[in-house]
Amino acid sequence: MLQKTFNRENRELTLAGLRKRNFPNAEAVIDEVISIDTSIRYSQDQRDQARANLKQLSNRFHTSTRAGDIAGLQGIKSEIEAQQLRLKFYEVELDRLEPNLNNLLYTIPNLPHSSVPAGRSADDNEVVLEHGEIPVLHEGAKPHWELIQGFGPNGTALIDFELGNKIAGAGFPVYRGKGARIQRAMINFFLDRALEAGYMEVQPPIVINEASGFGTGQLPDKEGQMYYATEDKLYLIPTAEVPITNLYRDVIVADGDLPIKNTGYTPCFRREAGSWGAHVRGLNRLHQFDKVELVRIEKPENSYAALEEMSLHVQKLLQELELPYRVLRLCGGDMGFTSALTYDMEVWSAAQGRWLEVSSVSNFETYQANRLKLRYRVERSAVAGKTQLLHTLNGSALALPRILASILENNQFLTEEGKIAIRVPKVLVSYCGFEVFD
RNA sequence: GGAGAGAUGGGUGAGUGGCCGAUACCAGCAGUUUGCUAAACUGCCGUACCUCUAAAGGGUACCGAGGGUUCGAAUCCCUCUCUCUCCGCCA
């Protein structure tokens, strides 16, 4: 969430940022925040003074008791009662004000970076670059959900949605044979590339508690998107971002330990409540999918260089997979709640004839760090010795299902016998051990 | 699932009603001295909010969380959460 002090000291900047996001009633909300904050600071001051007085009175009470000064005790007692009333009043006041302020702050999204374009929807996103040739497929090329039929063991489907329905439900496919092997190949390929780029691999829990959900901003507003085990009060992770970033909750990082670069493979679970239609067919949108995630913790002055580096890392993967892609800079209206700047990477799906989002890399600046209380101690500067909030970033590198969909669709070809086969990208052959799906 | 123990500052670990924001040791930082794969000594060494300032300073809170008793709580009472150990089960 946004920092209170930032809001009150930079009202105009905050408002300008919220306007770019088309945040409704920005002025009224921010003024309310500032107003509540002012009341809180006044009440806090009154409360602290009352407490300080009580402390002194209490000591006088003690010494008078020991001196046997009965008359003095009476006077002290009435002073104590007056201060207790005052204390109680402002404590009640603060108990009322503080949740109000926090609830309000939870509703305010992060401020967009200056390079974020204005706009309301995905149509207003800025295409930063396009790379690669759009493939021209043979007559009768199929979208992946048709293509997969018959490519599994013994003529079954390579990715079996029916079987998944049986044991779990819609959106939980079963990958079998080469389908399972290509998944494992991609995970290993992505992790190896992350390691080469200097990331440290972690295997976090794939369930998280409530505090972790709040730390990265999934709670309180995106509750309905996560699976929840009521008996144990645990959420299935929607992305590895949550457990990995929360490793650093309530941590003061030593200056010398920065930057922190972590990577991890996890399954991800999303309820995707409310989505429907053609765009969710096949692998396009699942309740469970696999993803390799990058998480970085950076000093403020380095975070945007880090974001560019992550973007290039993801692009390199797509180039190695020989997939045509484009990079989008999300506009204010399409950007996630907690992000300050997001690049989306989209891969061209030839048979579906549209772009599929396969990665999203974001800089959250201090928005998550503020909730996480993730700080570092500044070593050399005017404010040396003080703690300062860090910047958090993350990105998918990569999410598997749509990559697989694109590989299947873009690489299909007709064999000499006139049958459809699918070529495995060269870079994955050594990982999966076969060159074609046939 | 059953039984028991515990939660204190980066770590270990004292502290059972006021002299405790907290002893001691270790780790860390700065310095002195000797001199050399290091030792000794001295000082510093938590976080947050508020206030003030050029800087220093001042106030308050925090001993797992929340409530209660009391003029006064790390310390007494209640509730909750978490961790550990043993038994059971088990990849």
Side-chain angles (χ1 to χ4, degrees):
Chain A
M1 69 185 144
L2 295 179
Q3 296 168 259
K4 287 179 288 187
T5 50
F6 185 87
N7 288 330
R8 74 171 182 253
E9 286 161 13
N10 302 278
R11 180 174 175 276
E12 297 312 315
L13 267 178
T14 304
L15 287 177
L18 292 178
R19 264 196 292 278
K20 210 185 224 179
R21 275 193 177 265
N22 312 303
F23 184 77
N25 302 321
E27 191 149 341
V29 172
I30 292 305
D31 284 342
E32 176 76 359
V33 166
I34 294 172
S35 154
I36 297 176
D37 183 45
T38 306
S39 304
I40 284 178
R41 281 181 298 141
Y42 176 78
S43 296
Q44 217 171 53
D45 194 43
Q46 293 295 315
R47 181 198 61 187
D48 288 353
Q49 283 181 28
R51 278 173 173 167
N53 289 337
L54 280 168
K55 229 178 189 175
Q56 288 188 352
L57 289 166
S58 192
N59 285 332
R60 279 172 52 199
F61 185 95
H62 188 222
T63 49
S64 294
T65 308
R66 294 219 299 208
D69 180 5
I70 306 299
L73 280 178
Q74 288 306 320
I76 292 168
K77 196 111 188 196
S78 63
E79 278 187 71
I80 284 175
E81 276 163 20
Q83 290 302 322
Q84 279 177 333
L85 278 176
R86 181 188 183 199
L87 175 63
K88 191 71 195 166
F89 177 83
Y90 286 105
E91 277 180 347
V92 169
E93 191 71 356
L94 285 168
D95 283 346
R96 181 178 67 82
L97 292 170
E98 277 170 348
N100 283 352
L101 181 61
N102 281 329
N103 289 338
L104 207 53
L105 285 173
Y106 279 137
T107 67
I108 304 173
N110 200 357
L111 304 179
H113 183 254
S114 61
S115 70
V116 170
R120 297 200 162 269
S121 72
D123 298 333
D124 303 315
N125 293 336
E126 177 190 323
V127 178
V128 178
L129 65 89
E130 287 192 27
H131 182 278
E133 295 280 311
I134 302 291
V136 180
L137 297 182
H138 60 267
E139 195 68 24
K142 298 171 178 173
H144 69 269
W145 53 86
E146 290 176 20
L147 193 55
I148 54 175
Q149 304 304 328
F151 281 93
N154 305 319
T156 57
L158 187 69
I159 301 159
D160 201 325
F161 289 92
E162 296 303 318
L163 209 45
N165 288 344
K166 182 173 103 178
I167 61 164
F172 295 95
V174 177
Y175 305 77
R176 291 196 299 177
K178 287 182 174 177
R181 288 163 66 190
I182 194 79
Q183 291 279 103
R184 183 157 55 88
M186 284 190 284
I187 293 164
N188 284 331
F189 168 61
F190 295 148
L191 283 174
D192 281 353
R193 287 295 182 270
L195 260 52
E196 286 161 18
Y199 290 84
M200 189 199 59
E201 187 174 346
V202 286
Q203 274 202 357
I206 61 173
V207 293
I208 50 145
N209 57 24
E210 195 176 48
S212 298
F214 272 94
T216 34
Q218 279 68 29
L219 296 174
D221 43 308
K222 294 189 196 67
E223 207 152 11
Q225 289 293 349
M226 289 189 285
Y227 289 95
Y228 183 55
T230 52
E231 189 78 5
D232 298 296
K233 298 196 171 90
L234 294 170
Y235 296 85
L236 290 185
I237 58 168
T239 158
E241 163 199 344
V242 181
I244 295 179
T245 310
N246 270 283
L247 297 176
Y248 300 93
R249 175 153 45 89
D250 286 319
V251 169
I252 299 175
V253 183
D255 202 326
D257 291 341
L258 291 164
I260 290 168
K261 299 167 70 176
N262 286 346
T263 186
Y265 152 72
T266 67
C268 302
F269 301 89
R270 298 193 183 172
R271 295 187 62 228
E272 302 287 8
S275 49
W276 54 276
H279 284 191
V280 306
R281 289 200 68 177
L283 293 170
N284 289 349
R285 192 163 294 183
L286 300 172
H287 287 311
Q288 178 183 334
F289 64 96
D290 294 292
K291 182 159 62 68
V292 171
E293 184 78 359
L294 307 177
V295 172
R296 291 178 70 140
I297 295 168
E298 294 278 348
K299 291 191 204 178
E301 61 266 32
N302 298 333
S303 68
Y304 280 96
L307 184 70
E308 294 305 318
E309 202 184 299
M310 291 167 78
S311 165
L312 290 175
H313 180 88
V314 172
Q315 292 182 50
K316 179 85 188 318
L317 295 175
L318 296 173
Q319 288 165 20
E320 289 194 87
L321 291 169
E322 306 163 60
L323 293 170
Y325 67 87
R326 64 178 189 177
V327 179
L328 302 178
R329 191 195 305 266
L330 296 195
C331 74
D334 198 33
M335 211 165 50
F337 194 78
T338 54
S339 175
L341 176 58
T342 296
Y343 292 119
D344 270 9
M345 283 67 179
E346 296 185 332
V347 161
W348 180 256
S349 169
Q352 294 183 62
R354 63 188 193 96
W355 295 99
L356 298 179
E357 182 194 332
V358 294
S359 175
S360 187
V361 299
S362 303
N363 186 352
F364 303 93
E365 297 193 3
T366 59
Y367 195 86
Q368 290 182 329
N370 190 34
R371 285 200 200 178
L372 292 161
K373 297 193 178 64
L374 166 54
R375 295 151 291 170
Y376 77 112
R377 203 177 301 282
V378 183
E379 256 177 21
R380 279 179 292 277
S381 86
V383 286
K386 287 302 244 181
T387 60
Q388 191 128 52
L389 290 174
L390 284 158
H391 284 191
T392 60
L393 304 93
N394 68 54
S396 15
L398 287 164
L400 271 63
R402 294 180 196 159
I403 290 290
L404 182 55
S406 309
I407 288 174
L408 295 174
E409 292 178 4
N410 291 9
N411 295 1
Q412 57 184 304
F413 64 96
L414 285 176
T415 63
E416 286 171 13
E417 299 87 54
K419 290 179 65 182
I420 294 180
I422 304 158
R423 187 179 59 79
V424 173
K426 288 186 210 75
V427 75
L428 291 181
V429 169
S430 65
Y431 282 96
C432 68
F434 56 92
E435 293 179 10
V436 288
F437 296 96
D438 51 13

